[in-house]
Amino acid sequence: MGKTITASPRNFCVFLLFALFVLIIYSNTFNASWHLDDYQNIVNNPWLHLNNLYPESLKNTFYASYDGGRYNQEKIYRPVPMLSFALNWYYGKNDVTGYHVVNTVIHIFSAFILFLAISNIFKAPTIKKKYRNRQYPIALLAAAIWMIHPIQTQAVTYIVQRMASMAGMFYIAALYMYIKARLSKVALKRTILFVCSFLLFLLAVASKQNAAMLPFIIVIMEFVFFQDLKKKEVRIQAFLLSSVIILMMLVAGTCFFLDNNLFSFLDGYSKRSFTLAQRLLTEPRIIVFYLYQIFYPIASHFSIGHEIVVSKSLFSPWTTFPSILLILSILGAGFYNITKRPVLSFSIFFFFINHVIESTIIPLELIFEHRNYIPTMFVFVPVAIGICSFFDNHKKDQKKKAVYFVLTTGILFVTAMGTYARNFDWSTVESLWQTALNNAPGNARPYQNLALYYYKTGQYDRSIELLEKSINLKDSKPDYSKMITFNNLALNYIEKKKFHKAVEYAEKAVSAKPAQNTVKNYITSLIQVDNLELAEIKANDFFQKNQGNMDALNLKTIVMLKKQKYKEAEETALRLVQAEPYNIKYLSYFGIVHLSMKNYTKADYYLSKAAMNRSPYRISIYFSLVENSINAGNPEKTKQYINEMLSHFSIIDIKEKIESIHNNKFPIFPVPSDLAVNLIVKTIKKQFETMLIQKKSVI
């Protein structure tokens, strides 16, 4: 009883200490901007933009995946983090601070639960005597190093990678519950803990699929720490159970993630610049690079992009074979020490097994640092054991202890400062991609993303300069990379009003990758430069080749609308609405077609229907509703729609929309007339003046 009373306040102090350190190290991240996948997964994802907390709305967030250019409402996609993003949106909209606060809190809890798991694992039968009275400082040091390490910044500071950090939190919590269950001697308590472990495992997998390796890790932990592997029958049991777990994981993975086809993942290699064999040869070099980052954590070594040469054979590049040999040697050391140094062996197996899903056969991007969030959880345990052993072995030599203490503290301080420094790179889009460009000057992607930032901020010449440099640089998806470069060059030249160059690069984008999206972008570029004759030809061709493609039909509608061929536009828009009656874009275009044809009642009906849905287009629809009611001579509805707009959107949002209407010389979405815009502005001013008068009267 006494142990429980003394342990609880001590653990609470550890939690507070961890929280303090994490908040200090990540204090420069709370205003870090949105990046990359944040936009398609959160900012532009209408299914996460909650305006109520009804069960049906919350349930819809489970399906809020972005797939192939569309939001997929048919398949559950990482429901736990998606729900958390939706709740963030409900309380703070697109203000990044709340998202960063949640990510930081998740990291604090992950570190603390890791501390609890490590300290409890030393109570296991095979090692408790060896580490008696040392498990607390070892666990504290190992969890602290993991917590402050800069390799975790991508999982914590990159908002959308909450998927990785949340999976890690539930993963280590499930492992901790299993350890507590195995140590418990009370049957009921043990059963409850096992059930909790299983539920936490489900939450981990529902956060990100790489957590699926947990059952295999539990089997290894069971036999390393709770069974006597010196006995032959125990080793046979371990082998058989491991085989069964692997088979079950393959079956479950095939059913839930591979559409009942074990080899369906191979289709993904058609979109990559490397083959399955080349990926398997390249990943050992990347794993070795991860280990280099882990044990030499200098801030400049970390980046969103790395220059990776794909391995074509065992000796091309020459580091391929030595990397494979090194990994096999480390794994060999793990097997060799499994009974002599079980903690070391488990730490080795934990690292490599948790890299299996993302670093072997699945055709993902070759390298991302956030993939180390779970694998590194036990990496620092042998390091902590070594440090604590040194202090134990030199109890009487105060000078050595002092020197070693200062050295250890200095290394921890440098590691923490590396994390703090790395977090500055995430502050803005420009800082992130400038760092990536410095780190990987031979990779096209940093140039493209930095160029996109300059394009969005109106620095077109700088954007063009970077894009031109990226044309002949390598990328994991070369055709796609060239398409991105040429397409963005076209957009820059549109802004510079060099329309001939814009169309030239748009055509090159189509030639680089004649996918539906590329053709769509090309036709869109033609529409934006008012080359409507060629746009009509290309739209008709696109439609003929893709009869069932809604984008092709939609583009044809836009071209007809722009060319004032309203009857043809009405026919194609009607087909869109009939095919997808709840699609906000199609409903709004159908409404605008009727507005253009002066069918104001029908226009009001379809635009109102579109305005009921949450979407980035919604504010534009309200502008169209205002214009339609003005044209229809209905001042009551005009007033109603302006008031609705003011209730749904902030004045800042409306102001930004008005500015975009004035600045966008070649819009795709038809813009309202000056009459509608001026009336909206006048109403806002009037309401603002009324509010000021009311405030003065109160004072």
Side-chain angles (χ1 to χ4, degrees):
M1 189 74 174
K3 285 184 180 178
T4 306
I5 292 170
T6 55
S8 182
R10 185 169 67 175
N11 289 346
F12 182 67
C13 288
V14 171
F15 178 79
L16 290 179
L17 188 68
F18 279 12
L20 177 64
F21 278 125
V22 170
L23 288 172
I24 291 171
I25 295 166
Y26 284 88
S27 61
N28 57 343
T29 67
F30 295 119
N31 291 315
S33 67
W34 300 104
H35 296 288
L36 294 168
D37 291 348
D38 289 338
Y39 288 97
Q40 63 189 34
N41 282 285
I42 305 168
V43 180
N44 298 329
N45 191 341
W47 295 102
L48 293 186
H49 297 173
L50 296 179
N51 55 19
N52 64 70
L53 297 178
Y54 298 140
E56 187 64 26
S57 299
L58 297 176
K59 180 187 170 186
N60 284 338
T61 67
F62 296 169
Y63 301 84
S65 69
Y66 187 78
D67 180 28
R70 290 180 178 274
Y71 292 101
N72 187 350
Q73 282 287 290
E74 298 175 358
K75 202 173 186 179
I76 288 180
Y77 176 72
R78 299 177 182 175
V80 181
M82 298 310 278
L83 174 60
S84 74
F85 291 137
L87 292 172
N88 263 132
W89 186 275
Y90 178 76
Y91 289 107
K93 298 297 183 285
N94 63 348
D95 182 356
V96 294
T97 304
Y99 298 85
H100 286 298
V101 168
V102 173
N103 281 22
T104 305
V105 169
I106 288 169
H107 190 51
I108 293 168
F109 275 101
S110 297
F112 179 65
I113 299 166
L114 176 62
F115 158 74
L116 295 176
I118 295 170
S119 59
N120 277 273
I121 212 168
F122 283 112
K123 298 175 185 177
T126 61
I127 58 172
K128 66 179 179 181
K129 289 182 181 178
K130 185 175 181 180
Y131 297 100
R132 192 184 300 276
N133 301 323
R134 287 196 294 161
Q135 67 264 31
Y136 182 83
I138 291 170
L140 183 63
L141 186 57
I145 298 171
W146 177 85
M147 175 184 71
I148 65 174
H149 202 286
I151 205 165
Q152 316 305 354
T153 55
Q154 196 172 108
V156 181
T157 312
Y158 184 10
I159 294 173
V160 80
Q161 288 311 327
R162 181 184 299 177
M163 297 172 181
S165 60
M166 190 173 267
M169 179 181 70
F170 289 125
Y171 184 106
I172 194 61
L175 197 63
Y176 170 61
M177 287 295 174
Y178 181 85
I179 295 166
K180 293 293 287 183
R182 289 295 284 112
L183 294 172
S184 177
K185 295 178 181 178
V186 180
L188 179 60
K189 182 181 177 183
R190 191 163 57 243
T191 302
I192 292 171
L193 288 167
F194 278 136
V195 170
C196 288
S197 178
F198 179 71
L199 293 175
L200 286 163
F201 165 63
L202 293 180
L203 288 171
V205 175
S207 298
K208 197 176 181 186
Q209 295 90 326
N210 63 322
M213 298 308 297
L214 180 62
F216 198 54
I217 290 296
I218 285 177
V219 170
I220 293 173
M221 186 176 69
E222 173 67 30
F223 284 98
V224 170
F225 297 121
F226 294 96
Q227 305 293 331
D228 187 0
L229 279 172
K230 292 177 181 177
K231 296 178 181 179
K232 184 179 179 181
E233 61 270 22
V234 174
R235 292 198 298 272
I236 293 171
Q237 288 174 7
F239 174 77
L240 291 174
L241 188 55
S242 298
S243 301
V244 170
I245 290 290
I246 291 171
L247 184 62
M248 288 173 64
M249 287 171 65
L250 284 173
V251 172
T254 302
C255 293
F256 292 106
F257 306 122
L258 298 175
D259 298 323
N260 297 317
N261 180 1
L262 179 60
F263 300 103
S264 63
F265 70 89
L266 292 172
D267 297 339
Y269 282 98
S270 62
K271 301 174 184 177
R272 296 294 181 189
S273 61
F274 49 82
T275 64
L276 171 60
Q278 288 170 345
R279 191 175 205 280
L280 290 173
L281 287 169
T282 306
E283 283 300 327
R285 291 173 37 237
I286 292 171
I287 294 293
V288 170
F289 177 69
Y290 288 152
L291 290 171
Y292 170 73
Q293 288 181 304
I294 290 164
F295 292 106
Y296 190 42
I298 305 301
S300 59
H301 295 167
F302 299 91
S303 175
I304 191 71
H306 294 281
E307 206 167 321
I308 300 296
V309 177
V310 174
S311 294
K312 301 294 176 63
S313 70
L314 284 173
F315 301 99
S316 176
W318 69 269
T319 51
T320 304
F321 184 68
S323 297
I324 294 171
L325 202 60
L326 178 60
I327 289 172
L328 291 175
S329 300
I330 296 171
L331 288 170
F335 282 107
Y336 179 77
N337 288 286
I338 201 163
T339 54
K340 297 178 184 178
R341 299 177 183 84
V343 177
L344 174 64
S345 296
F346 179 74
S347 300
I348 290 170
F349 295 145
F350 190 93
F351 178 78
F352 286 104
I353 288 168
N354 280 299
H355 264 300
V356 165
I357 289 180
E358 293 182 304
S359 300
T360 54
I361 61 173
I362 298 175
L364 304 170
E365 294 278 0
L366 290 171
I367 181 170
F368 271 122
E369 289 159 12
H370 65 258
R371 293 174 185 169
N372 289 277
Y373 196 78
I374 292 175
T376 53
M377 283 182 165
F378 283 84
V379 160
F380 303 108
V381 177
V383 175
I385 290 172
I387 293 170
C388 292
S389 296
F390 181 90
F391 281 105
D392 286 343
N393 295 335
H394 296 86
K395 287 180 180 178
K396 296 179 181 178
D397 193 335
Q398 295 300 321
K399 285 185 179 179
K400 277 189 177 179
K401 282 180 68 177
V403 170
Y404 206 65
F405 178 79
V406 170
L407 184 63
T408 303
T409 305
I411 292 171
L412 291 174
F413 180 78
V414 169
T415 302
M417 286 301 97
T419 300
Y420 186 76
R422 170 61 181 148
N423 279 327
F424 277 116
D425 295 337
W426 290 93
S427 299
T428 65
V429 175
E430 184 178 20
S431 61
L432 181 70
W433 288 107
Q434 186 60 61
T435 301
L437 193 151
N438 296 338
N439 189 275
N443 192 319
R445 193 168 301 180
Y447 292 86
Q448 292 167 341
N449 284 283
L450 193 55
L452 184 60
Y453 167 78
Y454 289 136
Y455 165 75
K456 288 181 177 178
T457 54
Q459 302 176 67
Y460 306 121
D461 290 331
R462 295 183 74 179
S463 179
I464 290 168
E465 182 185 352
L466 287 167
L467 288 168
E468 287 176 343
K469 287 180 180 178
S470 75
I471 291 173
N472 296 315
L473 296 178
K474 61 178 178 291
D475 190 84
S476 59
K477 297 185 283 187
D479 293 340
Y480 179 80
S481 177
K482 280 189 168 52
M483 182 270 287
I484 290 292
T485 295
F486 292 137
N487 187 64
N488 287 346
L489 278 166
L491 293 175
N492 273 284
Y493 280 116
I494 285 173
E495 294 297 334
K496 286 172 69 68
K497 299 183 180 180
K498 294 185 178 180
F499 306 132
H500 179 74
K501 294 279 282 183
V503 174
E504 175 191 334
Y505 279 114
E507 284 180 320
K508 285 184 177 181
V510 173
S511 299
K513 190 172 178 64
Q516 288 180 356
N517 275 348
T518 317
V519 176
K520 175 184 164 184
N521 291 339
Y522 176 40
I523 298 168
T524 302
S525 298
L526 290 170
I527 296 169
Q528 285 181 308
V529 297
D530 277 342
N531 191 343
L532 299 178
E533 295 302 324
L534 185 57
E536 183 176 2
I537 293 168
K538 295 296 180 183
N540 285 328
D541 183 55
F542 185 31
F543 177 69
Q544 289 300 320
K545 291 177 180 176
N546 302 276
Q547 287 286 335
N549 186 279
M550 294 295 102
D551 284 334
L553 200 58
N554 189 45
L555 282 169
K556 193 173 178 182
T557 302
I558 296 168
V559 173
M560 295 301 103
L561 186 58
K562 285 274 190 177
K563 294 194 76 176
Q564 298 182 4
K565 294 183 177 181
Y566 298 131
K567 201 65 185 171
E568 291 93 328
E570 183 187 15
E571 290 173 5
T572 53
L574 178 60
R575 289 177 61 181
L576 287 166
V577 171
Q578 287 173 337
E580 296 185 25
Y582 300 104
N583 187 303
I584 185 170
K585 192 188 296 184
Y586 302 158
L587 285 169
S588 58
Y589 272 119
F590 197 38
I592 289 166
V593 168
H594 284 296
L595 190 161
S596 303
M597 297 175 73
K598 300 182 181 180
N599 297 332
Y600 301 126
T601 303
K602 282 188 175 181
D604 183 81
Y605 174 78
Y606 287 106
L607 287 168
S608 298
K609 196 173 178 182
M612 291 170 64
N613 295 283
R614 297 185 305 277
S615 165
Y617 299 105
R618 195 180 184 197
I619 193 167
S620 298
I621 295 165
Y622 269 105
F623 272 82
S624 298
L625 278 166
V626 171
E627 177 165 1
N628 187 68
S629 59
I630 291 171
N631 292 343
N634 193 332
E636 288 301 316
K637 278 207 167 183
T638 303
K639 184 179 178 182
Q640 174 195 329
Y641 289 134
I642 293 175
N643 287 334
E644 281 183 22
M645 187 192 302
L646 290 169
S647 68
H648 291 309
F649 304 100
S650 69
I651 291 175
I652 293 171
D653 290 333
I654 297 170
K655 181 175 176 288
E656 287 177 354
K657 180 61 187 174
I658 291 168
E659 286 175 355
S660 73
I661 289 169
H662 290 315
N663 294 333
N664 191 357
K665 303 294 191 300
F666 306 99
I668 291 299
F669 199 100
V671 297
S673 65
D674 288 339
L675 183 63
V677 173
N678 292 338
L679 185 58
I680 291 167
V681 172
K682 185 178 177 181
T683 306
I684 292 171
K685 283 181 178 178
K686 189 175 180 181
Q687 288 199 7
F688 188 68
E689 288 168 1
T690 304
M691 190 172 64
L692 285 175
I693 292 167
Q694 288 173 346
K695 279 189 176 181
K696 285 180 181 178
S697 64
V698 170
I699 294 169

